[in-house]
Structure formats: C-alpha cells, structure tokens
Amino acid sequence: MVYETVCDGIDLDFVEETGSDGEEEWLHSTRVKYFTNELSFRGRLKRLFLRKPETRLGSRIVDLVLKVILCLLYVVRVELDDHLEYQCYGYSCSERNLTLPVDNDKMVYSSNAINWYVLIWVRRSLVLWIIQVLLSFMTFLKGLLDIYIGSKGTCLQKLTHDGFILDLICAVPFLVTVAYPPLLSNIFIPCFLNCWLVRRSLQKLLNDLHLTRQRFQTISVTLSQQLLVLLVTLWCLIFTTICGIQHIQRGSNGHQLSMFEAMYFVIVTFSTVGYGDISPDTWLGQLFMTFMICLAFAFIPRQVEGITSTLKERKKIGGEYSQRHSAGHRHVVVCATNLTAESIMDFLIEFYAHPKLEDHIVVLLSSEERDTSLQMILKDPKWAHRVIYMRGSALKDIDLKRCRIHEADGCFILTPTACNDRDEADQHTILRSWAVKDFAPKCRQYIQLFKTENKIHVKFAEHVVCEDEFKYALLANNCLYPGMSTLVTLLLHTSTGEAGHIGQEPWQQVYGRHSRNAVYHIQLCKSMFFRGYSGQSFTCASANAHKRFGVCLVAVLDITKPDPRLQLNPGADYKLKDSDYCFYIAEFKEEYAKICSEAKTDQKQTGNEPSKNLDQISELLEKLLQQDLSSPQDEQEESVFNNTITCQWGLEIARRMRTKAPEPRASESDLDDNVVDTEVDTHGQTDPAVPKVLQLYEDMGQESIMTGPPPPTLYASKQKTLCHVMKSPRPVCCLEWGTDCEHCTYKNARDSRWTNQLIILAAEHACVGIHNFIVPLRSHFISMNSLSPIILLLNDRPTNLFLETIGHFPLVYWIQGKITSIDDLILAGIHKVSHLVIVNHESKSKEMEKTMVDSESVVAVQTILKLFPNTNIITELSQASNIRFMQFQANNEYTRQVSKLERKLKERMSSTLSHIFRLPFAAGQVFSASMLDSLLYQTFVKGYLITFVRLLLGIDAEDNSGHLSSIRVKNMTLVRYRTFEELYQGMATTTGEIPIAIYRTENSIPDTSGEDGTVNNNQDGKRNGLTESHSRPSLPKGPFMGNHMQNSDMCDLVRNRLQSLGMDADDYAEEVTKDDEISYVILNPTPKRKLRVGDIVYVVQPSSMAAIPHKQRWNRTRSVRIRNKETNGNNRSPRSTPPISTSPRSTSPTSSSPGSSSPKTEKEHSPRVNFLTPTLSPEQDRNGRFTVVPSS
C-alpha cells in the first residue's frame, strides 16, 4: 500500500520531524484549524502508524514476527501431542476396550472410517494455550487497527478482505476459548494458516522498505523480491499441506503420519515423483490433497509468470553492478548513446592491455538494447566476468546508482560511432557529464567530444579529447611530415608486436615489430634506465640510454617547480634531477622489461660535453658541405644537419668554420635554377629546385608578417603558441580564392606562382577545428619562407567571425565548392596542389548503415585519383574498417595478400590495428578519427598522454619545450652515420635533437597486374611465401574495355575544363608509369637499424631550433614534363616564373598584399643562402630563436 507524504496541502514530514512538543505548539498556535480530519484521534493514529516510516516499519516487523511465532507454536503443539491417549473419545482404547470406527464402504482405495474425535480435539498445555491466546489477541487487534485507520475501500470491503478473514479464522477461535478454558482450550484451531498472513506481512514490509529508502526500484531489486515472495508462497503451500494432511491422518485407522513423514509425502507428491509408499487412505485426506494440488496448479504459475516477465525485462536492460560484485573489485563506467561491438572491443583491448587493470570491472551503460554481436562479446569467457552491460541513462539517478558510479574509479563518456548531427551528440555528452558530476562529484570523467567549441562546458572534467582538435592537427602535420598520423596512431595503440610475426614481407616484419612501441613514464630515482643520469644533460642522457637500452627519452616533468609542466626535449641545458619524471618510448614498460647484463655494465657517457671535439666536427661538416655543393644528388635528398646549426653548439661550429674557410661564391652565369636550389637546400629551408613563393616574389606582403600568438577565438586560445601572423588582419575581400580584388590579383589558380605550392583542405563547413589545422602550418618554428598557401574548400560560405579569424594568418584563403565537382576542384587549384586534405562529411541519412558514412569521401578520392593521378591526397575517415577501400584495386594480388593478413589480425584480437598493413595507412595517406579513441582510453593509466600528444602536434606549447621536425638522409650522411644509433648519438650530442622514428619509402612491391589492371599470369605470383594457390587465367581488358581510350578521354576532359575555366591546359600532368612504392613508419628504431638514402627521420628539436617540413616524392611527372618544356624554350625565361616543384614538399603559403605579381629578378638579389654567415632576423632575435634566414 502506497501512502502519500503530503496530504491535502499539508507537509506531514514537517509534523513528524517536530515531535510531540512541536506538534502541540503547532496545533495551538493557529486560531483557525484546517483539515480537522487529520487532527482527530483517527488522524493521529494514521500519522503515527502509517505516515511515520519508523513506526510503520516497526509495526510490520512486529506483525511478521507474531505470525511466524504462531506457526512455530503449532508445530510445537503437534510434536507434544499424543493422540493415542485420547483417540477413543477422550480415553485410550486399550484402557476401556473401545474400538475405532470401521470402514463399511465399498470403495477399494478409500475408507470412510474416520475418527472425528481426534480431528476436533487436541491436547494443548496450559502455557502453550495462554501464549497462543495472547499472540492471537495482539494480531487480531492489529488487524482491527489497520481497518480503522486504513483509507482504501469501504468498511464492508475491508471486512471481507482475504487478509482479515484469515485473521478471523486464526485469531478469533483462540479468543472464544477464553469463555470456557477447561473445555475449549483443547479444541483444534488451524493456526497454521498464519503462514499466509506471514506472506502478506512480508509483502507489506518489502513495499514499506522500498518506499522508505528510494523512490524508484531497480529491476534487480524487483526480481529479488519476486523470487523471495515465490519461495515464501511455495513454503506456505507446502507448510499448509503438511499440517493439513498430518492432522487428517490422525483420524485414520491405518498409518498416522508424523510431521517429518508428512513433509516427505508432500515433497514427493508436489515434485510429481510419487513413490507411493505413503498415501492418504481416507476420503477426507484424498479430498484435501486433491484440493491442494489444484490450488498449487492455479496459484504457482501466476507467480512464475511474474518472475518470467521480470527476467525478460532484466535481459533487456542488462545486469546490475551489485554490492556482491563490487566486493574486492574496482570498476569503471562507460556511458554512450549506442555501444557497437567494434567500439567495445577497441575499448576492452586498450583498457585491459595494462596489467594493473586486469582485475577491474567495466560497466557499460547505454540507452539502447544490445545487439546480437554485443551479446556474443559479453558471453565470451574472456569478458563475461569482467564486463557488465546495463540498459539505462546517465541522466537518471536510479541508473547511476545501479552502476555504483559514486564508487567508480572513472567514468568514460563516449560519442556515438556514427551520428547525423554532431552538435546534438555533443549536447547529449555534455548533459551526461553534468548528470554524473551532480550525482558523483568525486568521480573522474574522461569525455569525448566532436567539436572544439563545446569544450567550454566540460572544463571541470579531468580529461577531454575533442575529435576536431586532434584530427585537424594530425592532418596538418601530415602535410608537414609525411606519415605523422600513422606515427601518432602507433604510439597511442597497444600492440603485442604480433603483427611483426604474422607479416611475411620484410617491411611488414620491421614495421610490425616496431609498432609495439608506446610512451611510458617513470621517476628517475626509481628507474634502472635513467637512475645513473642524475645531474647530466637531458640530450646526453637520451643518447646514452638509447645506446644501452634501446629506449628513446623524449620528455621530462620537473615536479619541483610550483607549476610543473611536461616538456618535450628541453635541450642540452636541462640537467636531470632525481625527482624528475622521465617519459620515454619503448617496446615495454621498464617495470616489465628484463635488462640484459651487458646494458647494466655498459659504461655510460659521463659529463655534459659531447664526445667529439668541436674542431673535428666543424672540419667534417665542412667536407660534407663541399661534397654537397659539388656532387649531384637526388633532388629530394637533404643534409642530415639541415637547419640544425642554429642551436648553441651549431653557432659555435659555424663560427669555427667561418674562420677556416671563405664563403663560397658563384658567378652570375652559374646562378641558374640548379645552383639556387642547391644553395637553398644546404640551409634546409625549402626543397631542392622548388624555391618558395615568398622567396621569389616581393608582392606577397612579407613585410606585414610577424611572429606572435594566434588570434584568440571564443573556444580556442593558445597563449604560449607562436605563429606567423599578420601585423594587421587582411581585408575580407582578400580571403576569397578565385576572386580578384583591388589589393591583390594573384589569388587564383591561374597564376603560375602556385605550381606545387597549394595545400587544399576540403571540408563540409567552416568550424573552429580548422583553427588547429592552420596553427601547425603557421608555426613560428617553420621559416617564413617555407610557408605554403592554404585553400579552404568549403561547401557553405563561412561566417564573418571565421573570416575575421583566418584573416590574421598569412596566405590562408577560402573558396566555396565541393570535392564532387571537377570545376570546383580546378578553381581551387588541384592541378597545382602540394597536398589535398579531405575531411569526412557528416552523414545526413539516419537510415544509412554505420559503415557507409565514408562512402562519399572514398568514392570522391577514387575519382580524383583517376582524373588527377599525381595528386597527394590525405583523407580522413570515420570508420577505420573503410581504410581497405582507399586506393582500391580489385585485381591486385598484393592487396589480396594484405587482406588475408588483416583477417588474421582480427581473429587473434591482439590489437585494434587490424588494418596496420594497408598501404595507405602505413604511408600516412589515410587517417580515421576513431583511432583517437585509444588516446582517451589510455589516459586512464597515462594521465599525461593528452598533453604529450598536444605538444607533439603543436596544438599547445610550453616554455622550453621542444617541437617536431624532420631531416632526410642522403648519400653523404651514410658516409658518417650508417646506423640509427650513430645518427642518434651525433644529433643528440651536437645539436640537441632527438630522433624518434623513421619514415621509409622503398620500391619493393611486385607488380602482379598488367598495364590494364588485370593480373599478369606470366609471373609466378610468389613473394616471400605469398602465393596464390588457385590462379585463374584472366583475359586483358584492353581489347574489350578500351582502358587506354578511357584514360585518354579523362585527360581530354580535364584539359577541356581547364581551358573553359581560363586555366593553362599544360599545367595538367598525365599519369606515367612509375615504380610501385610503399612507405611506412619505423617507430623508435633499434640502435643497429641501418639507415637508407631517402629516409625521413622524425626528430624532436629543442625550442631554440627551427623545424624543417618534408614531403614525399610526388608530382615527379609534372616536374619532368615542365622542365622539358623550359629546355625547349616553350616557356618563359627561368627567372620569370618560379621553377616547378619536383617534390611534394612545397609548403609555401601566400599572403595577400597590394602590388603586382612580378617575381624577383636577379638584380633584386635572388634568394641565396649563405651557409657560413647566418643572419638573424630582428623579430626572430627578439623572440629568442636562432632561425637562420636567407641573407640579402
């Protein structure tokens, strides 16, 4: 029965809390009395026994105990009673020679010989009778009180209630016996029926407990109560049958039953076993058993039906993290709108990869019903005892209580894997975060968001990963350093290195084995790796630790400072302390690694001075420089110390070199393109043969560019990050690409200066996350002359606020268009692009499959590659499983073998990177935002990981913290540095740079397809054990499909569109035959790993050095073709237009400024770099940087 705590507008809780004195004061303090029915005697009793929770619970418990005692007293009376002493009308039959009734019926299996005397009368001791009378009086009085103060139904309905009738049957006869105790005290009273009153009291007690403790009852509590009531009902049915059949058998002339024999008979009968050794022999006993069996068949199924329905509901909503589960275990809660099997497996693999979390329990809380695939995961023995699924909402306190979130170690609030409206998804995430914070303020939150602007609502959360923030920063770094997205992905994901054993190609084995490297941390005083380097410089300690243990020390945290901040490569001036926390890249955490005796006994480098003399280093560099200027090298190769002679050691080396050798001079006749390119290459500020647009043209507004913090926005502010920005924002008219204005006439794809210079970002609409794409490309660590123009290809026109923001950056433009339109791509300058970055669009159809959200991007990329085959495309996908469709080739044998390896990795579930061997992913040409999930998952153990990645990508900056850069290995580098260890030692001890990985490109894929794309069956199809067991001959498609004619038609189509849009058709480069190449990342190479010509080495430079962007070798066809035109005299003079790039490394941005678009002439001093006499620009000098810029 549910009772209200507010009656007719009066808050009765106030009355209860005031006590008797307060109540009397309240009653006499008012002159006009309202609701007098509540102030009557009946109302007072109601408030006492019904309104007050304590009194109500007490009365229920007392009533339950009294009825249980009455049932026990009946059993006691049966055991003490011996009916043989009075079965013959009050006397023993043997004493007075009396006989019992005889069966005179013709029934074979039933007898009518019943001794009614022993059925009506019993023997009850006086003490037992008095106790039973008192208890019956109390229970009867309690029943009358409930009827009097009850508010449901009329008096007649209350009197005819089944509970009151049972009270009358069990209690009133005992009260009647008081009238004449000598006779009536021994009359039989069926007080064993009190067991049904026990059941009724128990139900009321459970309801009262529920009303007192909580508002809503969980499904598990409901199920437990139903099970308890069912057991009590069975007990009541069995107990009633036992007592009834035992008493009836007293009147039989045959075998009388004891309580134990009666219990045995009833259990055997109700269990449908029916041995037949005991059975009732009188018609009364048989009739009683028939009635009880029918009652059981009618009553029990109703109870079972209720439990079955509850079990179905529980199956829908999942389990519950009860106190029994929580005993001795710690747990985390994962909240999301929908939980797919793929996302859950990724979380479980990453979460349980850490040994300390093996005993944790993961509670999944989702508002949707789990699908079949998720049920199979939860039934897997590996996860069955560690994962609990609950269907509920984080906005409901009852569901949060079910998962015991107030006791959880953390709460992960994840975004849906595929959604139609990201703003709405972020709003749901924010509300969940607020609800968890309100219910469990001390629970640590790990939140995942889509959009940057929503971070302001969850600043209280311990860790937040915003997809737009990180994905745009990764895409930007991919433009600067190829394969950067793959490097970060490998760092964030947990791998056992099993991919290296599964891989059958040499590059797969190297790539797979090194993929197990991850970031770890340890305090220096507790470390076996770094304990001996206390007091030494950071870079020397890093170099020696890599030589001895193969670990890469990249960052440090000084906890002695008032505000400790993580620092990447603080430089040679930083001295390690025992209290410092060291952050290193290694295959294993130090605590779980076994250190060989050789590494322990190896003599580490002592002191802070490099091991080589400065004079020797300068002599060596001078010789290498002379070789670099004299010997022809690959156009793409650069010196190992490009732009690294700018730190403290580099300046000293340069000074000594200046005292030994004069500046090399060249005659004007030698100032052709090759010489200029070589000189620029020696400084490392640009690619060979590709002078940047800011170097060749003076009308780009270079004088308006300065170094400073990026423009603060409402949602993204980076006070410590420095960028190349405009002194005054550019006008809005100067921002739209393809439309000339009065300030500048060159911001269109028709201008020849943009060849191989543009970076195009194709996005659906302008968002705050694009700010994180621009900032790394405009970082002050990159020389101003190495900036590349950025073209934003947007479906919708951006807002004025967005235009005002990008107006602060140089050479950033926007144009409205779509990647599905050829005209929009041509107007954006795709035929002159250095990088085309495609951001995945949001899904608009709610009925679309989740795996189809990338369909538009995948098909668009394939179309662009067919129309513009030399385009360097970097694509972002939502689903990592769709990476296999990038650069899809249906009949490529090598792709089929990689697909088999991917299936093997999925079956073993050792890593979430089953697509690790897909060539676009290995080369860093495709990136999935779902890979960022691991960043949030691992933050639970590595709380510094988000900060580490933000510093590495250039999203944030800290004082004295290093930054990412790269160098390219060339032939003369290998003369001195043959292995990665030697390179590591040389860079760390001289320039203070720390190499962390290698990006390697090699021509090692066998081409098993013909020119028309079909499989060439003349080849044996074998490579390192990869065979095709059943090959089927294929006819070439050329004679039937006309593949060459189709390619020619597409080329003609593009040229026609170029001419129609006013472009030069000669800018279009056709596809030519080129070697099959693969590119991959070797993370933290082993010390003995040999270097190769063309390797790009990722390094973390000190903050005092300038970064060097590198690109892959792209657009070689276009470069060769245009250079041939220049040689034949079909083009203008070499100095009239900028040379065409032969490498994709063009990162030269453009800034709109008034003036004509004429290039610099030779008389205006062509950009020559004097390697021996560096000159510091005033702005760079004021900011404390040592970036060498071209001297005039």
Side-chain angles (χ1 to χ4, degrees):
M1 185 180 296
V2 180
Y3 300 100
E4 300 290 335
T5 58
V6 178
C7 182
D8 296 335
I10 296 181
D11 187 0
L12 298 179
D13 289 337
F14 167 75
V15 180
E16 297 169 6
E17 292 175 0
T18 54
S20 58
D21 296 337
E23 181 179 357
E24 293 297 331
E25 180 181 356
W26 175 70
L27 292 176
H28 295 289
S29 62
T30 56
R31 297 184 178 182
V32 181
K33 304 295 189 296
Y34 296 97
F35 313 113
T36 54
N37 59 323
E38 295 293 335
L39 304 179
S40 61
F41 178 73
R42 182 169 176 267
R44 292 170 183 263
L45 291 177
K46 183 182 292 187
R47 290 198 304 272
L48 179 63
F49 290 100
L50 297 183
R51 311 293 190 190
K52 251 186 176 179
E54 296 83 1
T55 309
R56 185 173 67 247
L57 288 175
S59 64
R60 301 295 188 205
I61 294 174
V62 170
D63 189 32
L64 177 66
V65 172
L66 291 178
K67 290 177 171 55
V68 171
I69 293 176
L70 285 173
C71 294
L72 294 177
L73 290 177
Y74 177 84
V75 177
V76 172
R77 196 273 309 163
V78 170
E79 293 298 325
L80 296 178
D81 187 12
D82 186 6
H83 68 282
L84 298 178
E85 297 179 357
Y86 56 89
Q87 63 178 349
C88 291
Y89 306 101
Y91 302 98
S92 176
C93 296
S94 58
E95 293 179 358
R96 300 195 177 186
N97 296 326
L98 299 177
T99 59
L100 297 174
V102 180
D103 183 15
N104 55 8
D105 199 342
K106 297 181 179 181
M107 293 186 296
V108 179
Y109 299 104
S110 299
S111 173
N112 62 354
I114 301 176
N115 188 357
W116 294 98
Y117 183 85
V118 295
L119 296 182
I120 299 174
W121 302 98
V122 296
R123 289 289 174 89
R124 187 179 291 115
S125 64
L126 180 62
V127 177
L128 185 61
W129 173 75
I130 293 174
I131 295 175
Q132 287 182 323
V133 169
L134 292 177
L135 296 180
S136 300
F137 175 75
M138 296 173 63
T139 56
F140 183 68
L141 184 63
K142 177 65 170 53
L144 292 177
L145 181 63
D146 290 340
I147 293 177
Y148 178 68
I149 64 178
S151 58
K152 285 189 176 182
T154 62
C155 292
L156 181 60
Q157 292 175 343
K158 296 175 184 178
L159 293 174
T160 55
H161 192 266
D162 55 355
F164 185 72
I165 293 176
L166 279 177
D167 270 335
L168 292 179
I169 295 174
C170 297
V172 172
F174 278 107
L175 300 180
V176 174
T177 58
V178 180
Y180 190 66
L183 177 63
L184 300 178
S185 62
N186 291 325
I187 193 172
F188 172 72
I189 301 174
C191 60
F192 58 84
L193 296 177
N194 277 296
C195 64
W196 296 99
L197 296 177
V198 171
R199 175 181 174 275
R200 181 167 172 264
S201 299
L202 180 63
Q203 285 182 317
K204 290 182 177 181
L205 179 62
L206 294 177
N207 292 336
D208 290 341
L209 288 172
H210 164 60
L211 292 173
T212 303
R213 294 185 177 182
Q214 57 186 11
R215 181 182 177 186
F216 298 104
Q217 187 164 278
T218 63
I219 193 70
S220 296
V221 173
T222 302
L223 182 61
S224 301
Q225 292 184 3
Q226 289 183 344
L227 289 174
L228 179 61
V229 172
L230 176 61
L231 293 176
V232 173
T233 302
L234 290 174
W235 173 78
C236 293
L237 187 64
I238 294 174
F239 183 74
T240 302
T241 308
I242 291 173
C243 295
I245 194 63
Q246 188 274 337
H247 185 73
I248 291 174
Q249 282 298 113
R250 284 160 51 98
S252 173
N253 291 336
H255 180 69
Q256 289 83 17
L257 299 178
S258 63
M259 288 295 291
F260 178 78
E261 292 172 336
M263 181 184 68
Y264 166 76
F265 164 71
V266 171
I267 296 297
V268 170
T269 303
F270 280 178
S271 64
T272 67
V273 176
Y275 291 116
D277 52 348
I278 299 177
S279 61
D281 54 355
T282 63
W283 64 269
L284 183 61
Q286 294 172 352
L287 179 64
F288 175 77
M289 288 302 302
T290 302
F291 173 76
M292 295 304 298
I293 291 175
C294 293
L295 182 64
F297 280 131
F299 195 76
I300 297 300
R302 293 177 56 189
Q303 303 291 326
V304 175
E305 182 182 1
I307 293 178
T308 304
S309 62
T310 306
L311 286 174
K312 290 181 179 179
E313 293 297 326
R314 183 180 183 182
K315 185 178 180 180
K316 291 181 180 180
I317 69 169
E320 182 174 351
Y321 188 64
S322 61
Q323 187 174 2
R324 177 177 59 86
H325 288 90
S326 62
H329 293 280
R330 304 171 71 176
H331 74 286
V332 296
V333 180
V334 180
C335 301
T337 302
N338 55 358
L339 295 171
T340 61
E342 293 78 9
S343 61
I344 292 304
M345 282 303 305
D346 290 348
F347 176 84
L348 295 178
I349 291 175
E350 293 293 341
F351 184 80
Y352 286 113
H354 199 281
K356 294 183 179 179
L357 303 180
E358 291 181 351
D359 295 333
H360 274 65
I361 293 179
V362 175
V363 179
L364 308 176
L365 182 62
S366 176
S367 57
E368 295 186 359
E369 186 175 355
R370 53 188 173 183
D371 54 10
T372 305
S373 57
L374 185 56
Q375 290 182 8
M376 296 302 296
I377 293 177
L378 298 178
K379 292 180 180 179
D380 191 331
K382 186 176 182 180
W383 315 113
H385 300 290
R386 296 193 288 182
V387 182
I388 299 175
Y389 179 86
M390 297 184 188
R391 186 178 180 183
S393 173
L395 273 65
K396 296 180 180 180
D397 290 351
I398 189 64
D399 293 330
L400 294 178
K401 185 176 182 180
R402 285 171 53 206
C403 57
R404 309 180 75 85
I405 200 168
H406 56 284
E407 300 176 2
D409 289 347
C411 177
F412 292 86
I413 304 179
L414 309 181
T415 56
T417 54
C419 63
N420 301 318
D421 190 345
R422 296 193 172 188
D423 287 320
E424 182 182 4
D426 278 353
Q427 292 166 6
H428 295 174
T429 302
I430 292 169
L431 290 183
R432 291 190 183 98
S433 176
W434 290 353
V436 172
K437 191 66 176 179
D438 179 70
F439 187 86
K442 297 182 179 180
C443 182
R444 299 175 62 86
Q445 294 190 23
Y446 302 81
I447 302 177
Q448 196 175 42
L449 293 173
F450 282 119
K451 298 196 172 183
T452 309
E453 53 265 34
N454 295 319
K455 287 182 63 177
I456 61 175
H457 302 294
V458 289
K459 286 187 175 181
F460 56 83
E462 284 74 16
H463 302 282
V464 180
V465 172
C466 181
E467 180 179 304
D468 280 0
E469 238 184 354
F470 286 93
K471 81 176 183 182
Y472 279 106
L474 272 173
L475 294 173
N477 279 271
N478 257 3
C479 297
L480 297 173
Y481 315 106
M484 189 61 195
S485 60
T486 302
L487 184 146
V488 174
T489 301
L490 296 179
L491 273 179
L492 298 181
H493 281 72
T494 301
S495 175
T496 59
E498 191 175 7
H501 301 287
I502 295 178
Q504 298 174 337
E505 294 282 332
W507 76 270
Q508 292 173 348
Q509 296 172 0
V510 174
Y511 172 54
R513 283 197 300 266
H514 288 81
S515 66
R516 71 186 306 171
N517 281 274
V519 183
Y520 301 104
H521 68 284
I522 192 171
Q523 197 169 14
L524 188 138
C525 60
K526 302 177 181 178
S527 172
M528 291 293 296
F529 290 161
F530 314 112
R531 183 185 303 170
Y533 302 115
S534 178
Q536 299 186 25
S537 68
F538 179 87
T539 54
C540 290
S542 177
N544 195 261
H546 185 271
K547 178 181 179 181
R548 297 174 61 199
F549 308 109
V551 299
C552 180
L553 178 62
V554 291
V556 69
L557 177 66
D558 186 2
I559 62 175
T560 60
K561 295 183 178 180
D563 186 19
R565 297 289 182 177
L566 190 144
Q567 296 175 325
L568 296 178
N569 187 12
D573 294 335
Y574 185 87
K575 301 301 185 294
L576 293 173
K577 298 181 288 294
D578 290 336
S579 59
D580 288 347
Y581 277 89
C582 300
F583 301 88
Y584 60 96
I585 300 175
E587 294 186 8
F588 302 97
K589 195 174 181 180
E590 180 182 337
E591 290 86 337
Y592 312 120
K594 183 180 180 180
I595 304 175
C596 62
S597 57
E598 296 179 359
K600 293 181 180 179
T601 57
D602 189 14
Q603 294 293 330
K604 56 182 177 295
Q605 186 173 327
T606 59
N608 297 323
E609 298 295 330
S611 59
K612 299 181 180 180
N613 188 274
L614 288 176
D615 295 330
Q616 297 176 354
I617 297 176
S618 60
E619 292 177 0
L620 176 61
L621 290 179
E622 184 180 359
K623 293 179 182 179
L624 295 177
L625 179 58
Q626 296 294 338
Q627 296 176 9
D628 189 16
L629 294 174
S630 59
S631 62
Q633 295 290 345
D634 193 320
E635 291 178 346
Q636 304 297 323
E637 298 173 359
E638 298 187 15
S639 174
V640 69
F641 288 126
N642 287 337
N643 200 31
T644 59
I645 314 300
T646 54
C647 63
Q648 183 176 1
W649 285 112
L651 291 176
E652 178 65 18
I653 295 173
R655 184 187 64 78
R656 301 196 180 197
M657 292 175 65
R658 287 197 298 270
T659 60
K660 294 183 178 182
E663 177 183 354
R665 300 183 179 273
S667 62
E668 293 184 0
S669 60
D670 296 332
L671 290 177
D672 56 2
D673 290 344
N674 293 331
V675 175
V676 173
D677 297 335
T678 305
E679 290 175 351
V680 175
D681 181 43
T682 57
H683 182 46
Q685 294 299 319
T686 184
D687 283 331
V690 190
K692 297 303 180 178
V693 68
L694 292 181
Q695 294 176 318
L696 297 179
Y697 294 87
E698 291 183 339
D699 60 343
M700 308 299 293
Q702 290 90 332
E703 69 281 354
S704 301
I705 302 177
M706 68 174 187
T707 302
T713 65
L714 180 61
Y715 312 107
S717 179
K718 304 172 178 62
Q719 298 297 333
K720 295 184 179 181
T721 304
L722 296 179
C723 300
H724 294 290
V725 295
M726 304 299 296
K727 294 181 179 179
S728 60
R730 294 179 293 158
V732 177
C733 63
C734 296
L735 303 178
E736 187 172 2
W737 179 262
T739 303
D740 295 337
C741 63
E742 59 180 352
H743 306 98
C744 53
T745 58
Y746 52 80
K747 53 185 182 66
N748 55 73
R750 295 185 297 272
D751 200 295
S752 60
R753 73 182 68 194
W754 305 122
T755 304
N756 278 16
Q757 303 280 347
L758 304 178
I759 295 179
I760 299 179
L761 173 66
E764 187 173 10
H765 55 265
C767 62
V768 181
I770 296 180
H771 185 267
N772 294 295
F773 181 83
I774 300 175
V775 169
L777 294 175
R778 295 293 178 266
S779 174
H780 77 292
F781 293 118
I782 302 174
S783 173
M784 183 184 68
N785 292 330
S786 295
L787 302 181
S788 294
I790 302 174
I791 312 299
L792 305 178
L793 181 61
L794 308 174
N795 291 1
D796 306 320
R797 181 180 177 86
T799 61
N800 293 332
L801 177 60
F802 181 81
L803 294 178
E804 293 175 2
T805 302
I806 66 174
H808 290 80
F809 295 100
L811 301 176
V812 179
Y813 307 96
W814 74 276
I815 183 174
Q816 188 172 356
K818 298 182 179 179
I819 58 174
T820 55
S821 172
I822 300 178
D823 289 356
D824 292 340
L825 291 173
I826 293 176
L827 290 174
I830 190 172
H831 54 293
K832 297 183 177 181
V833 74
S834 168
H835 291 82
L836 173 61
V837 181
I838 298 179
V839 180
N840 189 49
H841 293 180
E842 297 181 11
S843 173
K844 300 299 182 183
S845 176
K846 294 184 178 180
E847 298 179 356
M848 181 187 298
E849 296 181 20
K850 295 179 180 179
T851 54
M852 291 293 180
V853 295
D854 300 318
S855 57
E856 181 180 358
S857 300
V858 172
V859 175
V861 170
Q862 294 294 89
T863 304
I864 295 173
L865 288 176
K866 292 182 181 297
L867 296 176
F868 304 93
N870 296 302
T871 306
N872 182 11
I873 304 179
I874 302 173
T875 312
E876 183 257 329
L877 302 177
S878 294
Q879 300 290 327
S881 58
N882 292 328
I883 292 179
R884 66 183 186 273
F885 301 125
M886 302 303 299
Q887 302 179 12
F888 184 74
Q889 297 178 2
N891 296 321
N892 187 276
E893 181 63 26
Y894 195 83
T895 304
R896 295 178 183 177
Q897 302 299 337
V898 173
S899 179
K900 293 180 181 179
L901 294 179
E902 182 175 351
R903 289 193 292 270
K904 285 184 179 180
L905 288 175
K906 286 183 178 179
E907 293 173 357
R908 303 193 180 187
M909 294 190 308
S910 59
S911 173
T912 57
L913 289 180
S914 58
H915 52 271
I916 186 173
F917 292 130
R918 292 287 179 179
L919 301 185
F921 171 77
Q925 298 170 5
V926 63
F927 164 73
S928 175
S930 61
M931 301 175 185
L932 293 174
D933 298 346
S934 297
L935 175 60
L936 186 68
Y937 304 158
Q938 291 208 14
T939 306
F940 183 76
V941 176
K942 305 174 183 177
Y944 55 86
L945 199 56
I946 294 179
T947 303
F948 181 89
V949 175
R950 292 177 70 92
L951 292 174
L952 188 65
L953 298 180
I955 302 176
D956 290 338
E958 295 293 344
D959 295 334
N960 200 34
S961 178
H963 57 87
L964 190 66
S965 183
S966 63
I967 62 170
R968 190 187 296 276
V969 177
K970 54 189 306 185
N971 287 327
M972 60 183 180
T973 306
L974 298 180
V975 175
R976 182 62 184 87
Y977 303 104
R978 306 293 299 179
T979 63
F980 186 77
E981 175 191 350
E982 296 174 356
L983 178 66
Y984 200 120
Q985 296 288 328
M987 299 187 69
T989 57
T990 56
T991 62
E993 297 169 284
I994 298 178
I996 60 174
I998 295 176
Y999 183 81
R1000 176 165 293 176
T1001 301
E1002 57 186 31
N1003 303 325
S1004 61
I1005 299 183
D1007 188 7
T1008 59
S1009 60
E1011 293 181 357
D1012 55 356
T1014 58
V1015 177
N1016 188 349
N1017 294 288
N1018 296 327
Q1019 300 181 14
D1020 59 359
K1022 299 181 180 180
R1023 177 173 176 81
N1024 291 339
L1026 298 180
T1027 61
E1028 183 67 22
S1029 57
H1030 301 284
S1031 60
R1032 175 180 172 181
S1034 301
L1035 292 176
K1037 295 191 301 182
F1040 303 98
M1041 303 298 294
N1043 189 61
H1044 298 287
M1045 186 176 297
Q1046 290 181 1
N1047 293 337
S1048 177
D1049 292 341
M1050 287 189 294
C1051 294
D1052 293 340
L1053 171 64
V1054 175
R1055 289 194 181 93
N1056 291 335
R1057 295 313 306 158
L1058 285 170
Q1059 293 176 353
S1060 300
L1061 297 174
M1063 308 287 179
D1064 186 2
D1066 293 335
D1067 290 337
Y1068 176 69
E1070 298 181 16
E1071 182 181 11
V1072 296
T1073 305
K1074 61 180 180 179
D1075 297 333
D1076 288 322
E1077 295 180 344
I1078 58 170
S1079 300
Y1080 56 97
V1081 176
I1082 305 177
L1083 184 59
N1084 185 27
T1086 56
K1088 301 301 180 182
R1089 175 65 53 190
K1090 293 184 178 180
L1091 300 176
R1092 297 182 183 177
V1093 174
D1095 284 348
I1096 297 177
V1097 182
Y1098 302 103
V1099 297
V1100 179
Q1101 293 182 337
S1103 59
S1104 58
M1105 299 179 63
I1108 311 170
H1110 277 82
K1111 308 289 168 32
Q1112 293 171 273
R1113 303 176 182 181
W1114 291 85
N1115 305 323
R1116 184 179 302 170
T1117 305
R1118 184 186 309 159
S1119 303
V1120 173
R1121 182 178 57 82
I1122 296 181
R1123 284 184 179 275
N1124 291 335
K1125 289 181 60 178
E1126 293 176 353
T1127 304
N1128 297 330
N1130 296 329
N1131 205 343
R1132 293 184 293 270
S1133 61
R1135 301 304 304 167
S1136 62
T1137 56
I1140 306 302
S1141 171
T1142 62
S1143 80
R1145 171 175 184 261
S1146 322
T1147 46
S1148 20
T1150 311
S1151 139
S1152 51
S1153 63
S1156 62
S1157 58
S1158 62
K1160 299 178 184 178
T1161 63
E1162 190 175 324
K1163 295 181 179 180
E1164 294 171 337
H1165 303 289
S1166 299
R1168 297 184 55 190
V1169 179
N1170 190 341
F1171 184 80
L1172 301 179
T1173 57
T1175 304
L1176 299 180
S1177 64
E1179 293 177 358
Q1180 293 165 335
D1181 194 24
R1182 287 196 301 268
N1183 287 279
R1185 299 188 298 109
F1186 298 95
T1187 303
V1188 181
V1189 300
S1191 59
S1192 57

